[in-house]
């Protein structure tokens, strides 16, 4: 079974500084990878996805992630964060079920805290 | 589209009472998911449906939990009887199995359940 590791439970950063949120997954077989963001008291919103093609994926709000197959990583980056980026970020990987359906397995989340 | 709609947004009940959470998926989506989010266990998949049929309910914690999807536009998650340890945020999500939107799950805003 697939698993996702988000090593950092919390990342504090100052406004306008760069940030990287780390994500590693367990399997080296073909996978789909996702980053979701959860703002306070809201549901999860898709930030970006990797399905195939270019390993550098750009998402909403200036975020990007790079798929590294050899390191089984999918780290999320932003060159300059804003206060409004304060949220919980979840990495997810697909897991193919016997039915053919790709179920999502989520990491435990990383709380990004942006301060002035 | 209005997105995935969940009701109620907040539910406070007493131990032993029946609780019913409701979800309206995005029109045309053929998969529906129920998740539970707690500080201790993170985001857990409880059950998912395909074309209104439950496919995998292995994440349902106990027989006190049940979920139904009587039609393509409505699903319920019921807890009877409720216990304080059921306190959590419950999310509903839906996705489309084919096309460009494949594997992307769209989440509702969640129902925050407090069992006293």
């Amino acid at each position: 079974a697939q698993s996702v590791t988000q090593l950092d439970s919390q990342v504090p950063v100052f406004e306008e500084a760069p940030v990287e949120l780390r994500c590693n997954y367990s399997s080296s077989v073909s996978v789909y990878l996702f980053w979701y963001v959860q703002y306070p008291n809201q549901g999860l919103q898709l930030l970006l996805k990797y399905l195939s093609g270019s390993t550098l994926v750009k998402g909403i709000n200036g975020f990007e992630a790079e798929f590294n197959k050899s390191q089984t990583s999918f780290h999320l980056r932003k060159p300059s964060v804003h206060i409004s980026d304060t949220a919980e970020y979840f990495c997810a990987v697909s897991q193919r079920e016997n039915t053919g359906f790709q179920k999502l397995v989520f990491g435990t989340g990383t709380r990004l805290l942006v301060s002035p | 589209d209005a997105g995935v709609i969940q009701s109620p947004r907040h539910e406070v009940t007493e131990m032993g009472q029946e609780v019913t959470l409701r979800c309206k998926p995005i029109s045309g989506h053929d998969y529906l998911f129920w998740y539970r989010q707690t500080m201790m266990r993170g985001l857990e998949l409880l059950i998912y449906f395909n074309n209104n049929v439950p496919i995998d309910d292995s994440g349902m914690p106990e027989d006190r939990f049940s979920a139904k999807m009587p039609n393509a536009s409505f699903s319920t998650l019921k807890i009877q009887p409720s216990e304080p340890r059921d306190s959590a945020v419950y999310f509903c999500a839906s996705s489309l199995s084919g096309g460009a939107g494949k594997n992307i799950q769209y989440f509702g805003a969640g129902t925050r359940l407090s069992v006293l």
Side-chain angles (χ1 to χ4, degrees), chain A residues 32 34 36 38 41-44 46 49 51 90 97 99 101-104 106-107 111, chain B residues 9 31 33 35 37 43 45 48 55-56 91 95 100 102-105 107-109 112:
Chain A
Y32 301 142
F34 306 81
Y36 280 82
Q38 184 180 25
N41 299 314
Q42 295 187 29
L44 278 70
L46 182 66
K49 63 185 184 294
L51 303 181
F90 292 91
E97 301 290 280
T99 58
F101 177 69
Q102 300 273 1
K103 189 169 82 171
L104 286 185
F106 285 89
R111 184 173 299 275
Chain B
R9 288 296 312 277
Y31 278 88
F33 309 83
Y35 289 88
Q37 185 180 40
L43 197 63
L45 177 64
Y48 73 93
I55 302 300
D56 183 356
F91 288 105
S95 72
K102 188 171 63 173
N103 299 308
I104 298 172
Q105 294 186 22
F107 283 74
R112 183 174 297 275

